[in-house]
């Protein structure tokens, strides 16, 4: 969550006189505050409890609840010892608990997204939630639900895209909902982040500091029109609110020139009024009065602008006490609602610290190093295997009938240790950041998770090969100094497995779309010398250009394994030997060259003494929608992925079928036209899928929708449904795609509401965004 740069920025930011705070809106002009106030929504009992307790708190106690204190966790908020209200314990992150031991390093979100498997994603979330709970962490700093969304069709260079699910808002929305619901089932409070439009890192033009941190950094201002915000960037957050997320983290960027954490538009108007968010919000603080009045409820990780300064502002009348009460109620309500006040494990770890006990501010915190993993390794292996995308296959996979394999590249080896890479996994070597040896299982920064072991590809492959009597030779290097021995081994190998990677780190946007450590050269060298076919395994956090090598004659198979977490090698072996039939699909588009995306990828211009500005001029057309709209042929389209078997689709139909919203945990206040609720189902599309190949396997069937032609600003098509089913050879099943009112709606900027446009909708179904054999048209003229 907090890299050293950001903390440094916070500490060094001079106090801005309140008269100069931008966007000093109606709420703060005369020291009054007229909401939005929380009413708890479905948490009404918890809210009444919080309200009652608030009445008995002193000003100091109320302020304490909104302010960071020193404690054992990555961040800690203050409590009220007099009433037995402890502060909250916060810890990263989206792929498992960071800064502690005996936990699982899970496949990252963007990797798990490739499974397109709702049940698996919710199962992953439930298990991660229990690991956090087991350590006594109250609030997880995750999941990443759309900040970044991954404007990757436009900016495949973003250094944090791998932390989030996918640039497709429908897929991201469904996975965000399930992840929040799954994680909170254990009583944990999730924090959907980063709210919002956080699509690139700060721009820096200073030298690296002593610790390799970047200096001279400025936050970028994201400028996005209202329609794009509502239809593309907001839906995933709406789903997390609907799933009842207790917390939201506002982001480090500016929005229309105002810091995201003091944007009245983003926090009060959109998050709290329109989405009806009833929990608390915290994030990058830049002020006291503007932050409090514009919607920031808590300040972490240190006390900079809240604490004493908040107390003074209240005493002076710049912030009314009603606002402080609302902040307190927003913090206490999810805590009571999730029953953390009655039945929650005590904090049982300390950030970075392996000692068994530690005194902080007179309190002794003990650490029993509880093992919270249970059988999660088995599940993590399953998620990783189900998320490995088979991009190319001549038939060389699954491996069979061979006696000699050669393994090449440092990415097959055991990885750098934690100590070599620092606790944040920023992996500094001299002044070089992002330098990772061995296999890449996760990226660096707040999205990283700690592993207690890594099942390296070489380990898992050696064990599996031994069982089948296969000889394994290897040169686990990328350096051309080893090319001689590689050629010698490749020349004797019936199959050559080349491992390449791309290690991405928070704080560092990419400068190019190539692999690390000259991976392309390694592949070409092995391909030239291999006696048999080459299998390329990629561990990468996003788009890689593969044009240099993918069509070379001996490249038999290519696997994109993302960042699969600690079970990497075991999951890979399952796929290579065919114990698991690959079924994952790319959750983003792989283009052929940098020019396939709009120019000026990441804004690197400091903005001439002002601040850097990123205009999202492509609007809704990111990722596959950009490629579709501009008729660009990608190398591999969104939704693409091969299997060891084949499937056929038949009997596509669509029918009206009304079903009231069943799964909203909290209701949103989004405005819409017509009687039916925004999350009610109006239609169901159905299609049959048959396994017509020779082995059992799962297929991900995808439904895409085109709006009526009258909607001229819409990209050609949008994902609006997906279903994954495992089928025996010859088996047929029916996949249903419920279509909710929101799925058929556009945001009407003039009327400020969601509505279904009248006209002919086109639906296509298939097995990738460009393989859509069946089509239906539906004329909609009704206001639902
Ligand atoms: C403060 O401003 C708000 C919004 O302009 C207005 O509704 C309210 O009446 C004002 N209150 C006072 C005390 O002037
Ligand atoms: C603020 O919270 C901390 C941590 O719970 C506690 O030690 C401290 O006494 C609290 N201060 C007040 C004024 O209640
Ligand atoms: C930012 O400004 C644009 C253009 O004026 C506007 O359409 C949009 O709604 C603003 N964004 C927010 C979050 O207020
Ligand atoms: C990676 O390997 C290089 C070359 O052997 C070495 O200099 C460097 O320290 C290693 N880095 C880490 C993080 O282990
Ligand atoms: C679809 O498959 C089901 C069996 O799952 C079968 O009963 C039905 O007739 C099939 N429909 C079409 C249109 O093929």
């Amino acid at each position: 969550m907090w890299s050293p740069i950001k903390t440094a920025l916070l500490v060094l930011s001079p106090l801005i006189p309140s008269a100069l705070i931008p966007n000093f809106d109606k709420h703060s002009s005369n020291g009054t505050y007229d909401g939005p106030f929380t009413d708890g929504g479905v948490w009404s009992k918890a809210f009444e409890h919080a309200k009652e307790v608030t009445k008995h708190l002193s000003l100091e106690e109320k302020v304490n609840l909104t302010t960071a204190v020193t404690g054992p966790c990555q961040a800690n908020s203050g409590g009220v010892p007099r009433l037995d209200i402890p502060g909250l314990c916060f810890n990263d992150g989206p792929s498992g608990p960071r800064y502690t031991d005996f936990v699982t390093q899970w496949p990252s979100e963007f990797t798990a997204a490739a499974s397109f498997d709702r049940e698996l994603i919710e199962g992953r979330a439930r298990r991660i939630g229990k690991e956090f709970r087991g350590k006594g962490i109250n609030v997880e700093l995750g999941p990443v639900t759309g900040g970044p969304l991954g404007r990757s069709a436009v900016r495949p260079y973003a250094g944090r895209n791998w932390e989030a699910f996918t640039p497709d808002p429908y897929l991201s929305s469904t996975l965000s909902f399930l992840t929040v619901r799954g994680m909170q089932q254990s009583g944990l409070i999730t924090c959907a982040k980063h709210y919002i439009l956080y699509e690139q890192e700060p721009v820096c033009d200073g030298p690296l500091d002593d610790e390799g941190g970047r200096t001279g950094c400025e936050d970028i201002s994201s400028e996005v029109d209202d329609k794009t915000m509502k239809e593309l960037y907001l839906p995933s957050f709406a789903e997390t609110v609907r799933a009842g997320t207790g917390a939201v983290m506002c982001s480090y960027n500016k929005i229309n020139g105002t810091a995201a954490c003091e944007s009245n538009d983003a926090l009060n108007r959109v998050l709290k009024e329109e989405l009806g968010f009833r929990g608390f919000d915290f994030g990058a603080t830049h002020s006291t009065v503007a932050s409090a009045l514009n919607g920031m409820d808590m300040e972490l990780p240190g006390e900079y602008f809240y604490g004493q300064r908040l107390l003074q502002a209240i005493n002076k009348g710049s912030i009314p006490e009603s606002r402080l009460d609302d902040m307190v109620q927003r913090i206490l309500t999810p805590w009571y609602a999730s029953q953390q006040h009655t039945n929650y494990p005590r904090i049982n770890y300390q950030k970075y610290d392996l000692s068994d006990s530690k005194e902080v501010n007179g309190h002794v915190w003990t650490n029993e190093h509880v093992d919270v993993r249970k059988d999660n390794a088995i599940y993590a292996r399953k998620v990783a295997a189900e998320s490995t995308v088979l991009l190319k296959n001549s038939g060389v996979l699954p491996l069979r009938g061979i006696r000699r394999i050669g393994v090449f590249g440092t990415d097959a080896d055991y990885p750098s240790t934690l100590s070599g890479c620092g606790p944040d996994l920023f992996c500094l070597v001299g002044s070089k950041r992002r330098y990772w040896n061995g296999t890449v299982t996760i990226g660096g920064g707040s999205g990283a998770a700690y592993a207690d072991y890594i099942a390296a590809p070489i380990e898992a492959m050696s064990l599996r090969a031994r069982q089948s009597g296969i000889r394994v030779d290897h040169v686990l290097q990328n350096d051309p100094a080893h090319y001689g021995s590689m050629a010698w081994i490749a020349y004797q190998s019936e199959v050559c497995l080349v491992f390449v990677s791309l290690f991405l780190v928070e704080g560092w946007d990419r400068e190019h779309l190539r692999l690390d450590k000259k991976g392309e050269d390694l592949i070409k060298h092995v391909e030239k010398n291999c006696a048999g076919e080459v299998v390329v395994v990629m561990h990468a956090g996003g788009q890689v250009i593969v044009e240099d090598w993918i069509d070379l004659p001996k490249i038999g198979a290519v696997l994109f394994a993302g960042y699969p977490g600690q079970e990497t090698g075991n999951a890979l072996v399952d796929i290579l030997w065919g114990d698991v039939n690959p079924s994952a699909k790319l959750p983003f588009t792989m283009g052929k060259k940098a020019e396939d995306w709009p120019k000026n990828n990441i804004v690197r211009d400091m903005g001439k003494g002002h601040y850097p500005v990123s205009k999202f001029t492509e609007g809704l057309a990111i990722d596959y929608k950009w490629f579709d709209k501009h008729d660009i042929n990608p190398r591999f389209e969104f939704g693409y992925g091969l299997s060891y078997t084949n499937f056929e689709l038949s009997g596509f139909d669509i029918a009206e079928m009304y079903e009231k919203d069943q799964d909203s945990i909290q209701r949103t206040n989004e405005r819409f036209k017509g009687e039916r609720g925004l999350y009610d189902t109006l239609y169901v599309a159905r299609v049959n899928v048959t396994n017509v190949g020779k082995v059992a396997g799962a297929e991900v069937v995808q439904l895409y929708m085109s709006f009526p032609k009258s909607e001229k600003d819409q990209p050609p098509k949008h994902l609006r449904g997906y279903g994954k089913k495992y089928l025996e050879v010859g088996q047929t099943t029916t996949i249903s795609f419920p279509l909710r009112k929101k799925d058929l709606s556009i945001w009407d900027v003039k009327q400020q509401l969601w509505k279904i446009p009248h006209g002919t909708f086109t639906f296509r179904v298939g097995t990738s965004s460009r393989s859509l054999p069946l089509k239906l048209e539906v004329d909609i003229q009704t206001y639902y």
Side-chain angles (χ1 to χ4, degrees), residues 169-457:
Y170 179 86
L171 183 58
S172 169
S173 287
T174 50
L175 302 184
S176 295
F177 178 89
L178 295 170
T179 299
V180 166
R181 187 173 72 178
M183 284 176 171
Q184 290 202 153
Q185 241 170 41
S186 59
L188 177 72
I189 294 171
T190 57
C191 158
K193 71 183 191 181
H194 303 83
Y195 185 79
I196 189 171
L197 306 175
Y198 189 36
E199 299 296 319
Q200 98 161 69
E201 300 285 13
V203 184
C204 309
D205 64 359
L208 293 182
D209 66 20
D210 290 350
E211 293 183 325
R214 302 201 309 175
T215 63
C217 299
E218 287 286 346
D219 295 339
I220 194 122
S221 176
S222 297
E223 305 205 340
V224 185
D225 65 275
D226 185 36
K227 188 177 177 70
T228 302
M229 164 94 163
K230 297 298 160 61
E231 293 185 13
L232 181 57
Y233 294 100
L234 194 61
S236 299
F237 285 101
E239 294 289 343
T240 65
V241 169
R242 217 166 66 75
T245 189
V248 166
M249 190 196 299
C250 49
S251 48
Y252 296 103
N253 53 295
K254 294 182 164 68
I255 299 171
N256 290 347
T258 303
C261 295
E262 55 188 49
S263 164
N264 181 54
D265 274 320
L267 297 180
N268 281 335
R269 182 168 64 79
V270 178
L271 179 65
K272 291 182 176 173
E273 267 165 16
E274 194 170 316
L275 299 187
F277 175 58
R278 274 105 172 177
F280 63 102
D281 173 89
F282 61 93
T285 333
H286 302 273
S287 62
T288 304
V289 177
S291 294
L293 293 177
N294 291 319
M296 210 189 73
D297 302 303
M298 182 188 274
E299 182 190 38
L300 295 173
E303 182 191 327
Y304 307 108
F305 293 100
Y306 279 18
Q308 282 309 309
R309 284 178 183 146
L310 183 59
L311 189 61
Q312 279 163 21
I314 293 189
N315 282 331
K316 263 185 16 209
S318 326
I319 300 167
E321 200 173 338
S322 60
R323 170 63 185 125
L324 180 64
D325 290 349
D326 180 58
M327 290 154 88
V328 167
Q329 285 155 19
R330 284 177 178 278
I331 294 163
L332 291 179
T333 300
W335 185 64
Y336 289 130
S338 55
Q339 302 296 317
Q340 290 193 357
H341 63 305
T342 57
N343 170 30
Y344 206 75
R346 67 170 179 86
I347 297 170
N348 202 341
Y349 87 105
Q350 293 119 37
K351 183 186 173 186
Y352 295 142
D353 198 318
L354 296 185
S355 51
D356 295 337
S357 75
K358 186 181 182 182
E359 194 184 314
V360 183
N361 287 348
H363 186 101
V364 178
W365 300 91
T366 53
N367 186 355
E368 296 164 313
H369 305 275
V370 234
D371 191 334
V372 294
R373 296 172 294 180
K374 305 256 164 47
D375 62 350
N376 287 349
I378 298 168
Y379 202 83
R381 173 178 184 163
K382 182 173 156 71
V383 177
E386 296 280 329
S387 307
T388 302
V389 191
L390 179 62
L391 293 176
K392 177 175 179 177
N393 191 13
S394 64
V396 62
L397 293 185
L399 296 174
R400 61 174 103 80
I402 47 159
R403 301 199 57 204
R404 286 169 182 275
I405 61 174
V407 181
F408 306 89
T410 174
D411 183 68
D413 206 353
Y414 289 96
S416 298
T417 61
L418 208 53
S419 59
C421 261
D424 292 307
L425 263 61
F426 280 159
C427 303
L428 174 74
V429 177
S431 63
K432 222 168 141 191
R433 282 271 170 167
R434 302 207 303 105
Y435 197 82
W436 183 264
N437 295 332
T439 195
V440 176
T441 60
I442 199 85
S446 62
Y450 282 17
D452 286 281
Y453 64 85
I454 301 281

Side-chain angles (χ1 to χ4, degrees), residues 26 29-30 32 34:
K26 66 178 176 118
S29 58
N30 58 8
T32 66
D34 50 17

Side-chain angles (χ1 to χ4, degrees), residues 457-467 470 472 474 573 577:
I458 192 64
E459 169 188 302
M461 287 193 300
S462 300
L463 287 172
R464 187 65 171 76
R466 199 183 302 167
Q467 286 165 13
I470 297 175
V472 183
H474 56 82
V573 155
W577 268 268

Side-chain angles (χ1 to χ4, degrees), residues 611-656:
Y611 47 77
V613 172
S614 180
K615 292 189 195 295
F616 292 29
T617 50
E618 74 289 343
L620 299 171
I622 71 167
D623 199 66
Y624 66 88
K625 294 167 187 172
W626 173 266
F627 282 70
D628 287 354
K629 185 174 170 183
H630 299 279
D631 233 342
I632 303 163
N633 266 330
R635 168 52 70 169
F636 296 115
E637 69 271 20
F638 177 91
Y640 173 87
L642 300 171
S643 163
Y644 297 151
T645 185
N646 296 304
F647 298 91
E648 247 171 47
L649 301 180
S650 61
F652 181 32
D653 67 21
I654 184 162
E656 269 190 77

